[in-house]
Amino acid sequence: MRVFLSLLALAVIALGIAMTLTDIPFGKPKADIATHYVENGREDTGAVNIITSVVLGYRGFDTLGEVAVLFVAAMGLGAVLATGTRTPKANGWEPASLVLYTGCRFLFPLIVLFGAYIFIHGHLTPGGGFQGGAIIASAFLLTYLGCRGRRVHEAWSSAVESLGGLTFVVLGLAGLTAAGHYFLSAFLPAGTLGQLFSGGIIPLIYIAIGLKVGSELAGVIDRLVEESQ
Amino acid sequence: MVSPVLLIAVPLGLAFAMPLIALISRRLPRFVPLVACAFNLIVAIRLIPTVLSAPVIQRIGGFSPPFCINLFAGPVGVMFAGLIALAGLVIAIYALSYIRTGPTVRYHMLYMLLLVGATGVVLTGDVFNLFVFFEVLCISSYALVAYFGDRNGLEAAAKYLIQGAVGSALLLMGIGLLYGLFGTLNMADIASRIGSVSDISVFVPLALIVSGLGVEAAIFPLNAWLPDAHSSAPSSISAILSGIAIEVGLYAVVRMIFTVFGATSIFMFLLFLGVLTVLMGELCAFAQTNIKRMLAYSSIGQIGLIVFAFAMASTISLAGGLFQLLTHTLSKALLFLAAGYMIHRSGSMEISSLNGMGRRMPLTSLAFSFGAFSIVGLPPFIGFPSKFLIVRSALEKQQTLFTLLLGFVLLGTLVEGAYFFRVVQAIYFKKSGDEPASRSLAPALPLISMLILAVLIIFVGIYPQPVADALSTAASDLLDRAAYIGSVLR
């Protein structure tokens, strides 16, 4: 009975969505707003990567909110896991073999470098702060798997996390006091399109996000590994 | 003039800074919510005279709407932001001494972010931005419900998380469909284009969005999570969830229905839903023996009453609904805060364990009784003018249906009176069995926060007129779609 009712509910929802979708022409750009972004994005924001011009230019406030969502999720995880009974156990895991250990130590800086490249070039090439941060966190995950004794220094990671978020907000507030009195307005010179030093505040924000997301996800991995021991 | 974006940016910045502040001293972070809420309260109060004459449209990034995200600081938004800051401040004072164990730094961080999310939802003028801040609000409340880490708390939080996540998914689907239909996310822009497509294709996103937001707003069939979540959370969190979180969810529902969709045809449906929610909430509350569960079910009843008022969709009924919302925030926060220390003292959540509490904790008991009388709607407390306004607006409709439904709502209020008086009677007139009746006071800080709320409840109850006037301006902000669209898309 319960299964039948669930299936019925799902069918009704699916039917409704399908009926609405018939009103949405497939593949045709209906939106003049999207066209506006594609045509004016470069000039308005100074970012060659159109997606970045939307994510950090036109809709930068959403991105600030998303950074907050990730922050809340990481904090919430920390709060929930911290409430369980904590008995510090020596981890009885066998150390990894020399090949694995050396390989991880060799790859760690390269992965971090690649992550940094992704977020520093976020306004020029595909990728950005979230992607670069996730790559950096994967370097820490590798370390946790390969070099089992090593841990993230908690004070450092939370300091970086905090500074990254603060930078974003402070850059936004600086826009409020500087040009045009708008939050997150581009108050730095846009520079030459396509150069590394261009795009005003966008690369700075992406660097802040990259560091924040990287340290945050590394912290999440740290807590989950601790919990699994 | 101060910019409304400060209401979101400054507390968010402070929340981000809290790990750094905690590195300096672990005693400092608990004062940060006080600072942020006090700041927000001042900014909101300074903004209110401005927005009562004309709404402030804050464009983020300096592009013109609909290309950028804009904040819409109208009377409703700014008053809500002020109310969030006020309730946040009072409950933060309470939490200074109430929250002593567990990961306290994270508690205060999540608490701040909950308030940031709530403020963002009420101020934004963009549907996707609303979703983002809604997530900030919801995720922080999931974590805070589980703060004590006991079995009940974790179970309630998991239940809340699952239902909330389904709700968020529905909301996101609805927003996706809207974007597909109109190619825009700006509320005013969607509102101006809503007539250009067939009714059925607007109805599906409307249904998805209202049921998605309705989970947080605790409207009747979607509120199964609420009694567990509100009763297992720390009392300070129960107060903020009952006083702020569900109201903000309700605000989002109302903003969507009134402004974005202009869906006048579903008011009748909402009216019945409101009455059902009142009856279901109050009858369940009557059956409870656990004080916090009783208060949680009473919140459902109150939300039903507010939905009923909103669904009548006249200026006076909307003003009444907003007034009742203010009543509920102040009174229910006071009730939960008072109950928190009574539970702390008696060590049990059973109503029977509160017997004789009037002698043992005189001030806290008095605060609880004030909250109870106010919720029930006795003069001279704030609940009287707000309920009176709702009754008046229903009678002004002069239709048998409205009068009949009002009768059901008043029946719910009667039940509400019965269970609250039962508790007050237990507190004052029943003797406690085992314990000697030694007097003790709650610590000073919680008493201060209860005192602030009690004074507000009585003060507004005696002088309701300025509040009622401001709220009827706010009500026309919700009703007048054309003005909303015009002020954003100038």
Side-chain angles (χ1 to χ4, degrees), chain A residues 13 15-25 30-34 36-37 44-45 53 56-80 82-84 154-156 158-169 173 176 180-186 212 216 223, chain B residues 3 5-6 8-10 12-21 23 58-63 66-69 71 102-103 106-107 109-110 113 124 126-130 132-133 135-136 139-140 142-143 146-150 154 170 173 176-177 179-186 189 193 197-198 200-202 204-205 208:
Chain A
I13 294 175
L15 186 71
I17 291 175
M19 281 168 80
T20 307
L21 285 178
T22 53
D23 256 23
I24 303 173
K30 186 168 184 170
D32 36 341
I33 291 177
H36 177 94
Y37 288 160
D44 280 358
T45 63
S53 78
L56 282 190
Y58 297 106
R59 301 193 65 86
F61 201 53
D62 271 351
T63 308
L64 181 60
E66 277 146 22
V67 169
V69 170
L70 193 61
F71 185 64
V72 173
M75 282 304 140
L77 184 75
V80 172
T83 53
E154 206 178 329
W156 274 106
S158 63
V160 171
E161 191 180 342
S162 182
L163 280 176
L166 263 184
T167 311
F168 198 160
V169 175
L173 288 174
L176 195 64
H181 305 293
Y182 295 114
F183 189 74
L184 280 176
S185 62
K212 182 168 173 61
E216 215 152 59
R223 269 162 227 145
Chain B
S3 163
V5 78
L6 292 179
I8 300 170
V10 170
L12 185 58
L14 284 172
F16 283 153
M18 269 162 101
L20 274 184
I21 297 170
L23 284 182
Q58 174 80 31
R59 309 163 179 184
I60 308 287
F63 309 100
F67 300 113
C68 70
I69 292 171
L71 296 186
R106 292 216 172 89
Y107 168 90
M109 246 183 265
L110 289 166
L113 286 159
T124 186
D126 185 284
V127 281
F128 189 75
N129 201 234
L130 182 128
V132 170
F133 281 114
E135 283 300 283
V136 174
I139 297 176
S140 46
Y142 306 148
Y147 180 73
F148 283 150
D150 55 340
L154 287 173
L170 293 180
M173 272 196 265
L177 286 179
Y179 183 69
L181 283 170
F182 304 110
T184 177
L185 292 166
N186 187 290
D189 204 20
R193 295 177 195 216
V197 290
S198 67
I200 179 71
S201 40
V202 176
V204 176
L208 288 172

Side-chain angles (χ1 to χ4, degrees), chain A residues 52-109:
Chain A
T52 302
S53 78
V54 175
V55 169
L56 282 190
Y58 297 106
R59 301 193 65 86
F61 201 53
D62 271 351
T63 308
L64 181 60
E66 277 146 22
V67 169
V69 170
L70 193 61
F71 185 64
V72 173
M75 282 304 140
L77 184 75
V80 172
L81 291 187
T83 53
T85 47
R86 172 166 295 175
T87 43
K89 280 176 278 186
N91 95 35
W93 290 348
E94 218 176 297
S97 73
L98 187 63
V99 177
L100 191 57
Y101 184 79
T102 317
C104 288
R105 292 193 59 184
F106 176 70
L107 282 175
F108 179 79

Side-chain angles (χ1 to χ4, degrees), chain A residues 1 8 38 42 51 71 81 93 96 120-121 123 126 130 140 144 146 200 209 229:
Chain A
M1 188 61 192
L8 192 71
V38 172
R42 291 166 165 231
I51 295 167
F71 185 64
L81 291 187
W93 290 348
I120 291 173
H121 286 244
H123 57 305
F130 286 99
F140 285 95
Y144 275 96
I209 295 178
Q229 276 174 9

Side-chain angles (χ1 to χ4, degrees), chain B residues 189-473:
Chain B
D189 204 20
I190 295 175
S192 70
R193 295 177 195 216
I194 206 96
S196 67
V197 290
S198 67
D199 277 353
I200 179 71
S201 40
V202 176
F203 176 74
V204 176
L206 172 70
L208 288 172
I209 288 176
V210 169
S211 39
L213 291 170
V215 174
E216 187 66 20
I219 300 172
F220 168 52
L222 309 168
N223 51 18
W225 57 271
L226 187 140
D228 289 340
H230 286 202
S231 57
S232 325
S235 287
S236 52
I237 293 307
S238 312
I240 203 84
L241 288 182
S242 246
I244 294 298
I246 44 180
E247 272 83 354
V248 168
L250 196 59
Y251 163 84
V253 172
V254 168
R255 179 58 91 190
M256 282 289 173
I257 292 176
F258 278 85
T259 306
V260 177
F261 287 96
T264 44
S265 50
I266 69 164
F267 285 151
M268 203 45 83
F269 174 68
L270 274 183
L271 205 62
F272 281 99
L273 217 54
V275 174
L276 265 181
T277 312
V278 172
L279 291 177
M280 177 264 178
E282 304 295 11
L283 289 175
C284 288
F286 187 76
Q288 299 306 314
T289 55
N290 173 322
I291 180 82
K292 281 183 88 174
R293 285 185 80 86
M294 187 194 94
L295 293 177
Y297 274 112
S298 147
S299 295
I300 296 180
Q302 291 279 315
I303 286 295
L305 180 60
I306 299 168
V307 170
F308 173 75
F310 281 148
M312 286 190 285
S314 66
T315 311
I316 169 169
S317 81
L318 276 174
L322 290 171
F323 207 154
Q324 184 65 31
L325 220 145
L326 176 70
T327 300
H328 181 240
T329 299
L330 297 179
S331 318
K332 195 49 72 63
L334 180 59
L335 283 168
F336 267 118
L337 297 187
Y341 264 97
M342 297 205 282
I343 292 166
H344 191 68
R345 171 76 200 269
S346 71
S348 154
M349 290 195 201
E350 292 301 306
I351 292 176
S352 54
S353 71
L354 300 180
N355 287 352
M357 204 45 105
R359 288 171 199 280
R360 286 187 277 162
M361 305 185 83
L363 289 179
T364 313
S365 304
L366 193 66
F368 186 90
S369 319
F370 277 10
F373 292 153
S374 169
I375 285 261
V376 174
L378 295 184
F381 302 100
I382 183 174
F384 177 68
S386 60
K387 270 194 180 160
F388 186 74
L389 212 54
I390 296 177
V391 172
R392 206 178 102 194
S393 65
L395 293 178
E396 264 180 17
K397 289 267 180 186
Q398 295 186 332
Q399 288 173 24
T400 330
L401 176 70
F402 286 98
T403 320
L404 191 71
L405 289 179
L406 180 69
F408 280 112
V409 169
L410 290 179
L411 186 72
T413 304
L414 221 63
V415 177
E416 191 175 43
Y419 64 76
F420 270 118
F421 287 133
R422 198 178 60 194
V423 178
V424 172
Q425 188 206 13
I427 288 176
Y428 281 108
F429 299 109
K430 282 192 184 163
K431 290 230 165 71
S432 60
D434 38 320
E435 210 180 322
S438 65
R439 276 195 187 196
S440 78
L441 293 176
L445 287 169
L447 279 181
I448 288 174
S449 52
M450 285 186 241
L451 184 73
I452 296 174
L453 287 172
V455 166
L456 277 172
I457 285 173
I458 295 177
F459 186 77
V460 183
I462 295 174
Y463 298 105
Q465 207 49 47
V467 180
D469 289 345
L471 288 177
S472 52
T473 319

